[in-house]
Amino acid sequence: MDDTSVLKPPDDQQIRDLFTADIQELPPVPAVAIKLLQLTADEDVKITQLSRVIETDPTLAAKILRMVNSAAYQLPKHITSLPHAVTILGFSRIRQIALGISLYQHLKRHLSSPDFDLFHYWQHCLTVATLAKSLAQSTGYAEPDTAYVAGLLHDIGKLVLEAHGKISYSEIIASVGTNREVLIDTERKLLGAGHDDVGSYICKKWGLPDQVTTVVRFHHRSFNESGLSSEDEKLVAIVALANFIAWTQGIGSVNLCCPVILQPEVEEHIELDKLDLPSMLQYLDREVSEIGKFYQLQFPTSDELRVNLLRATLQLNRINSKSYFDSETPPAPAGESLLTPHHSHDPDEIIQMTLEAIHREMNFQTLIYLKADPVSRKLVFNHSHPPETKMMYQDFQVGLTPTSGAFIDCLRTRSPVIANGKTPGEQKTLDLLGATQLGLAPVAGGGRLMGIVVVIPSSDKQLSKIADLGGLGLVSTELGLALEHAELFQTIKNQADLDSLTGLFNRRSFLIHLERIHEQHNELAQYIAVGMVDVDYFKNVNDQFGHATGDKVLSIVADTMSAVNRSDDLIGRYGGDEFIFALTGVSESGAVLFAERIRKAIENKGKLLAKRFDGLQLSVSIGLAIQDRPEQTVMSLIKDADDALYKAKHQGKNRVII
């Protein structure tokens, strides 16, 4: 995990350097929006003031009246004037509608990029604004309308980067690939700044209220030592939590599945366990239903939201928020809340938390996790929920024989199945569990089956089709990934041999793992491929842009290699600007294809960075060696790969030689 979230924000000049045009040429926020933000809350004048501000833009006024008279608001009489609309729906609601429409129309005029999904972005902003207002009201924050505005504008930096950045925001998204890095870290590595830094700069330039600018600046940063007032800290916490909830429900600002984080100090201002989540989400449903019709936005269904919540909960297993923010906040107990970041890499805690989440969200009576034992060819009890069932099932196991029915089908097809007692072994299992039906979902990671999640439905819930299992299959897949990640984390932790800059295996650790894999695969007559990767022109990078930029380049190369690798591949830093990888179970053509994916991905990153660092060249040369006889040693393979790398460098760089 990168520690960029706690670094000092970039200065104004660094922000200006990110743009293609002089910052003075950037289009200002609409004048009507500024006036709406600055309106007094004086009860005696606000209706008249609001109407006058809106009427300065006849198109805006017409759109507001059209929205107010739409079926969403179900008003008994047709409203023909803005003062009447304000009287009926209230100052807050009309200002909210006017601000949203004004900003949205402005964005559509000035953001013509075909690669940026404006609808997706605006759906996220409206959701965060609505949630922020609800949280402000429920937590006693004095200015719910300010929370709404801050939520609406919290990601404004992404739009500015998309329209005017040397590296556009859609290019940043395209560079992420399958990497599961926190998105703000990717921004800071490529740009030296995040959308929060850009957004707060723009808010100041536009003269937006200080509270809004503060939220935009800190909604991804730790703010304990920021010198903010307690009220401003609470507002930041409210919007940060609203943003977090929106992402966990699958309503992110970009169409990308990536980890989300929540600052630990949010809990100092909001008691997460005391939030009335059902009421808050019902309020969100009502609000987004109304605004979604006007903007023609398609929000997730309730079933999709449920699965998204579980997916996000499992993603949180991959993030240690405590170390991310360098905070002293102690980890929260597992399963305590879907909104509480999970801090553990312990497989037992991950499994137990997942069972609790499934029980809570899918309403199954009992859940059991059976761990696969390849030696005995059995599925053995490992965990269950509710907790009181542990004593009941702790000796439970299922033998994997031809009569095991659905259990064998589940493992063979690697997909959820329903057990109804169609074979003697299957019926015996049902009788042992005192159940008439079972739902089964396989858990796999690292190319191997780890176990099965077993659900026992309540007596009034029949499983007639696979769809009745809801998102269980997806959750079991995510559980497998989380367990795989935990195993890798434990391996790395035990070895204590990571490269401090890139987070990859260092040379010694890589060689230890490679020797073990080499021995295992020789016994199976399955050979391996080794690739040596060297960063082209790296000395020029250090000489021209400095060693700090050189370190960033090495980190980006490492991240890019990690993003394209498979779960059972090895990647390490061999030393200096050299990296190394090892592949198993691939043909010669497959190894070349993998190496080409790395080369092309880094070449594309180089093109992006050249927009930020004029004259920077970034590409890699790769030498490959394929084991073709059992007597080849690890060191001879590495030497062959190094010889191939030498040829690649001397044949023009930015190429793969085998």
Side-chain angles (χ1 to χ4, degrees):
M1 182 62 66
D2 199 319
D3 63 355
T4 49
S5 65
V6 296
L7 296 180
K8 181 180 178 182
D11 58 34
D12 288 356
Q13 185 57 52
Q14 289 173 296
I15 297 294
R16 286 192 289 269
D17 288 343
L18 297 176
F19 296 100
T20 55
D22 182 69
I23 201 71
Q24 300 301 325
E25 298 176 21
L26 294 179
V29 72
V32 67
I34 292 289
K35 292 176 182 176
L36 287 168
L37 289 169
Q38 295 173 340
L39 276 179
T40 176
D42 188 330
E43 292 290 339
D44 296 329
V45 297
K46 63 182 183 180
I47 291 179
T48 303
Q49 282 187 325
L50 178 58
S51 300
R52 286 176 178 171
V53 167
I54 295 172
E55 286 167 349
T56 61
D57 186 337
T59 303
L60 174 61
K63 288 180 179 294
I64 290 172
L65 288 175
R66 179 163 63 87
M67 185 173 185
V68 167
N69 286 301
S70 69
Y73 288 95
Q74 299 180 343
L75 297 179
K77 292 179 61 178
H78 190 78
I79 294 177
T80 58
S81 71
L82 286 170
H84 189 197
V86 179
T87 302
I88 296 296
L89 293 181
F91 172 86
S92 175
R93 174 54 63 102
I94 295 299
R95 187 179 76 151
Q96 186 174 304
I97 293 171
L99 185 60
I101 294 174
S102 172
L103 288 172
Y104 184 68
Q105 295 302 318
H106 179 75
L107 296 176
K108 286 183 68 176
R109 285 194 298 271
H110 292 284
L111 191 67
S112 58
S113 170
D115 299 319
F116 190 85
D117 189 341
L118 182 58
F119 277 104
H120 210 95
Y121 168 87
W122 194 239
Q123 176 179 272
H124 172 72
C125 292
L126 290 168
T127 300
V128 173
T130 302
L131 283 168
K133 185 173 182 177
S134 177
L135 285 167
Q137 291 168 334
S138 63
T139 58
Y141 180 72
E143 300 180 47
D145 285 352
T146 300
Y148 182 92
V149 171
L152 197 66
L153 296 175
H154 75 288
D155 272 349
I156 193 69
K158 294 180 180 179
L159 288 180
V160 176
L161 284 169
E162 179 62 24
H164 302 283
K166 291 178 180 176
I167 300 176
S168 70
Y169 203 77
S170 54
E171 288 177 316
I172 294 172
I173 298 304
S175 76
V176 172
T178 58
N179 200 354
R180 292 182 179 268
E181 181 179 53
V182 177
L183 191 53
I184 193 74
D185 285 346
T186 301
E187 297 171 21
R188 288 172 180 152
K189 286 177 180 177
L190 284 174
L191 304 176
H195 69 270
D196 48 355
D197 303 314
V198 173
S200 63
Y201 177 88
I202 293 299
C203 286
K204 285 187 291 185
K205 173 180 166 56
W206 285 342
L208 299 189
D210 289 343
Q211 289 169 298
V212 174
T213 302
T214 296
V215 168
V216 172
R217 179 184 180 189
F218 286 103
H219 73 281
H220 282 304
R221 288 187 180 273
S222 181
F223 52 88
N224 259 344
E225 305 297 328
S226 58
L228 300 178
S229 68
S230 59
E231 280 298 289
D232 282 352
E233 286 190 349
K234 186 168 185 177
L235 181 59
V236 172
I238 285 170
V239 176
L241 179 56
N243 179 60
F244 178 85
I245 295 172
W247 276 94
T248 63
Q249 298 214 15
I251 310 175
S253 60
V254 295
N255 190 18
L256 186 70
C257 181
C258 56
V260 288
I261 50 90
L262 185 67
Q263 303 96 311
E265 58 263 45
V266 167
E267 290 190 71
E268 297 175 14
H269 298 277
I270 302 173
E271 295 184 80
L272 300 181
D273 296 332
K274 293 185 178 180
L275 290 175
D276 186 356
L277 297 180
S279 296
M280 185 178 69
L281 294 178
Q282 286 171 10
Y283 171 77
L284 174 65
D285 287 342
R286 290 195 304 271
E287 291 292 304
V288 298
S289 175
E290 293 174 1
I291 60 181
K293 291 174 185 176
F294 181 82
Y295 291 104
Q296 297 181 322
L297 300 176
Q298 185 62 51
F299 289 85
T301 65
S302 58
D303 286 340
E304 290 169 336
L305 292 178
R306 180 177 293 171
V307 173
N308 288 336
L309 276 171
L310 287 169
R311 180 195 289 273
T313 303
L314 290 166
Q315 281 184 344
L316 292 176
N317 289 305
R318 305 188 181 107
I319 305 170
N320 190 324
S321 295
K322 182 174 182 292
S323 63
Y324 187 94
F325 288 101
D326 195 24
S327 167
E328 296 300 321
T329 306
E336 189 173 278
S337 167
L338 281 175
L339 301 178
T340 305
H342 190 64
H343 301 261
S344 176
H345 290 285
D346 176 64
D348 289 329
E349 190 173 352
I350 292 171
I351 293 168
Q352 194 63 45
M353 181 278 301
T354 303
L355 297 185
E356 291 173 9
I358 296 173
H359 183 265
R360 185 168 57 248
E361 297 297 326
M362 295 187 178
N363 299 317
F364 290 113
Q365 176 179 297
T366 307
L367 295 107
I368 303 170
Y369 178 70
L370 301 177
K371 187 175 182 178
D373 183 351
V375 177
S376 65
R377 283 189 54 79
K378 291 181 179 179
L379 294 167
V380 182
F381 173 84
N382 186 251
H383 285 277
S384 67
H385 189 80
E388 59 268 20
T389 60
K390 181 177 181 179
M391 292 296 293
M392 186 186 310
Y393 299 123
Q394 63 181 355
D395 296 324
F396 178 70
Q397 55 185 249
V398 177
L400 297 178
T401 68
T403 65
S404 297
F407 288 88
I408 291 290
D409 294 342
C410 179
L411 295 175
R412 183 182 295 122
T413 63
R414 296 201 179 191
S415 59
V417 299
I418 297 172
N420 289 307
K422 66 179 181 181
T423 67
E426 189 178 312
Q427 185 60 54
K428 181 181 178 181
T429 301
L430 289 172
D431 294 340
L432 286 172
L433 294 175
T436 57
Q437 286 184 310
L438 299 174
L440 310 176
V443 177
R448 74 183 196 282
L449 287 161
M450 296 178 169
I452 283 181
V453 173
V454 180
V455 299
I456 303 176
S458 56
S459 57
D460 60 346
K461 184 175 183 178
Q462 287 296 307
L463 302 175
S464 58
K465 54 187 182 302
I466 295 300
D468 293 336
L469 293 174
L472 185 64
L474 175 61
V475 174
S476 66
T477 299
E478 291 291 329
L479 174 59
L481 292 172
L483 291 174
E484 176 193 351
H485 177 82
E487 288 183 359
L488 177 60
F489 177 85
Q490 192 61 43
T491 299
I492 293 171
K493 182 179 178 182
N494 292 340
Q495 291 292 333
D497 281 332
L498 287 183
D499 175 64
S500 59
L501 175 63
T502 64
L504 301 179
F505 288 117
N506 63 22
R507 179 172 178 165
R508 174 183 171 278
S509 181
F510 181 91
L511 292 176
I512 290 173
H513 285 281
L514 183 56
E515 287 284 4
R516 175 176 55 81
I517 291 172
H518 182 262
E519 182 179 344
Q520 291 173 345
H521 282 261
N522 270 355
E523 291 175 359
L524 300 172
Q526 296 174 345
Y527 302 143
I528 61 178
V530 171
M532 293 293 294
V533 181
D534 186 80
V535 181
D536 300 328
Y537 314 108
F538 188 68
K539 184 177 184 302
N540 294 346
V541 173
N542 278 334
D543 291 346
Q544 187 174 352
F545 302 101
H547 288 278
T549 299
D551 286 348
K552 289 177 183 176
V553 165
L554 293 177
S555 181
I556 287 171
V557 169
D559 291 343
T560 306
M561 291 178 65
S562 297
V564 302
N565 82 312
R566 306 170 304 172
S567 59
D568 52 351
D569 297 333
L570 274 181
I571 296 180
R573 184 182 180 192
Y574 205 63
D577 59 339
E578 279 194 331
F579 297 83
I580 187 169
F581 62 82
L583 311 176
T584 58
V586 294
S587 62
E588 179 175 314
S589 60
V592 172
L593 182 63
F594 178 86
E596 279 292 339
R597 283 207 306 270
I598 289 177
R599 185 194 65 77
K600 290 177 182 177
I602 293 172
E603 181 182 41
N604 289 336
K605 286 285 177 69
K607 291 176 181 177
L608 286 181
L609 289 174
K611 296 180 178 182
R612 178 183 169 197
F613 300 104
D614 187 29
L616 181 142
Q617 292 178 285
L618 174 60
S619 61
V620 293
S621 300
I622 302 176
L624 270 176
I626 312 295
Q627 183 182 11
D628 56 8
R629 56 190 187 280
E631 64 269 20
Q632 280 180 287
T633 65
V634 163
M635 295 314 297
S636 69
L637 272 171
I638 291 175
K639 183 181 183 303
D640 289 347
D642 202 43
D643 290 344
L645 173 62
Y646 179 84
K647 293 178 181 178
K649 299 288 281 188
H650 285 79
Q651 289 183 22
K653 301 183 175 63
N654 192 22
R655 63 191 63 225
V656 175
I657 295 291
I658 189 167

